[in-house]
Amino acid sequence: MVPMAKVVSFGAINYDINLFVERFPKIGEEVPVKRITRIPGGKGANVAVAAARLMDPGEVAFIGGLGDDQIAEMQKKVLEGEGVDISGIITVRGVESGQAYIVIDSKGENFINTLFGANHEIKPEDVEEVKRLALIRQAKVLAVVDPPLPVVLKVVELGKKFGAITIWDPGIHCVKGYESLKDILKFVDILLMNAVEVENLTGASEPEEVKKRLSPINKNLKVIKKMGAEGSQLIDPRDEQSIIIRGIPLQKYGFKVVNTVGCGDAFHGVLAASLAQGYSLIESLQRANLAGAFKATRSETRGSPNKKELEEFHKKVKG
């Protein structure tokens, strides 16, 4: 089958064990678990699913590593059921598939412990295998999350070569600083981070200073700062003023925050899907904001909306 993916997501795929508690324990303290769920997760796969729910089957592909275990087979079936092209998945022999143990309190806050497993075993040459290269060549958007840094570099290089829009969420790598990541940043179109990550990466929080530090590396690099319930901020080196996309006051519209795990992944996936579908960057950010807010009202990690749910949610909150 000839690849037809418009969005390709790169990153981790994990099996999530979610423990719901009233509050987090202190060190040495035991607290009861109110409820437990076991569901597919991982940031790269979550982004792929969030994008796929807004697109036709096969228009989103996922590239990442899985072990040769039962978890891997289950993960593949779930992704296929969501309409994700799994032809780019890398099977790592003799290694466990990734797993995450997530504790969520009554306010929807969380902390996560992760066994990366096969996620950290993929290599740059894996990305250049014929099937995966074909997926990348046809893609309109590459949504890069958390593969190993050498893989990130290879992907963004290929994205630039083939003319795709590249979105990178550097996550924990922000603490390395922008100088250490400049070889990657020079190929990236959109950098997606939360407020803490922006400061960790650049040493600055004000938009003008962020632009001043990143522009010498990549004069076209746009920064999107995720601000949770407050929305998002677009820092574009070509614009004098940054643009704020306001968040959704969920309580005002009768919604309750249930679980914030996966909100950023929903944001990323819907941003990528919207850009691939031809929406402007501002329109795509508005849709991404809606998707992140919608996800916060759902307990499941992959609680991102499908097309109908996004449209209905928008009607309820656009007043």
Side-chain angles (χ1 to χ4, degrees):
M1 174 179 157
V2 178
M4 54 181 281
K6 296 178 180 178
V7 174
V8 182
S9 177
F10 302 80
I13 178 167
N14 293 320
Y15 190 53
D16 288 354
I17 296 87
N18 296 312
L19 307 175
F20 292 85
V21 298
E22 182 63 29
R23 61 176 178 83
F24 298 134
K26 298 174 183 177
I27 294 175
E29 182 186 18
E30 180 179 357
V31 299
V33 173
K34 296 161 60 179
R35 182 164 60 93
I36 184 169
T37 61
R38 299 172 178 84
I39 52 177
K43 287 182 175 296
N46 292 348
V47 168
V49 169
R53 288 180 180 174
L54 299 187
M55 304 184 78
D56 291 333
E59 288 191 329
V60 176
F62 170 70
I63 295 178
L66 283 170
D68 53 353
D69 49 23
Q70 289 183 336
I71 289 177
E73 295 309 308
M74 178 272 295
Q75 295 278 36
K76 292 174 186 177
K77 288 180 182 178
V78 170
L79 288 177
E80 284 188 310
E82 293 280 1
V84 176
D85 182 339
I86 64 168
S87 63
I89 287 179
I90 299 144
T91 299
V92 184
R93 303 295 176 188
V95 177
E96 283 193 70
S97 295
Q99 295 151 62
Y101 300 83
I102 305 168
V103 183
I104 303 144
D105 73 3
S106 58
K107 299 176 183 177
E109 300 297 328
N110 69 87
F111 65 82
I112 305 172
N113 301 279
T114 303
L115 170 70
F116 292 102
N119 292 305
H120 276 192
E121 298 298 323
I122 63 173
K123 300 174 176 60
E125 53 265 34
D126 293 325
V127 177
E128 294 187 287
E129 184 272 335
V130 174
K131 288 183 295 186
R132 296 178 197 111
L133 200 59
L135 289 169
I136 296 168
R137 185 181 287 112
Q138 285 194 198
K140 292 184 178 181
V141 179
L142 303 181
V144 188
V145 194
D146 49 3
L149 284 178
V151 175
V152 175
L153 177 58
K154 177 56 66 177
V155 169
V156 297
E157 285 177 340
L158 291 170
K160 185 62 67 177
K161 177 180 178 180
F162 296 130
I165 298 170
T166 303
I167 307 170
W168 184 34
D169 182 342
I172 60 172
H173 298 301
C174 290
V175 297
K176 299 178 186 294
Y178 64 96
E179 287 289 346
S180 297
L181 298 172
K182 63 183 179 181
D183 288 345
I184 294 174
L185 294 174
K186 66 185 180 182
F187 294 109
V188 175
D189 296 302
I190 299 171
L191 201 55
L192 188 59
M193 301 176 285
N194 62 33
V196 174
E197 290 165 346
V198 170
E199 195 156 354
N200 285 343
L201 181 75
T202 65
S205 56
E206 294 301 316
E208 284 306 312
E209 194 60 31
V210 171
K211 287 191 282 188
K212 181 179 176 181
R213 299 185 186 192
L214 294 179
S215 290
I217 297 172
N218 181 345
K219 65 180 181 179
N220 297 313
L221 179 61
K222 299 176 182 67
V223 174
I224 294 172
K225 179 163 68 174
K226 298 176 292 183
M227 302 186 300
E230 296 179 13
S232 57
Q233 182 179 31
L234 172 62
I235 303 172
D236 188 331
R238 298 172 300 181
D239 295 334
E240 289 187 11
Q241 299 292 326
S242 63
I243 298 171
I244 300 289
I245 309 296
R246 297 295 175 189
I248 311 298
L250 290 170
Q251 290 186 336
K252 175 182 175 181
Y253 297 104
F255 295 99
K256 179 183 177 183
V257 175
V258 176
N259 180 10
T260 59
V261 180
C263 289
D265 303 333
F267 185 104
H268 193 165
V270 171
L271 175 66
S274 299
L275 289 171
Q277 290 170 324
Y279 289 91
S280 70
L281 181 53
I282 297 302
E283 290 170 331
S284 298
L285 282 171
Q286 291 168 337
R287 285 161 62 85
N289 263 8
L290 285 167
F294 180 94
K295 160 62 201 82
T297 68
R298 299 298 183 91
S299 62
E300 61 269 32
T301 307
R302 292 181 184 170
S304 54
N306 59 34
K307 285 183 283 188
K308 182 179 179 181
E309 288 170 333
L310 188 67
E311 290 169 3
E312 290 178 350
F313 186 66
H314 185 206
K315 290 177 183 176
K316 290 177 181 177
V317 303
K318 69 178 181 180

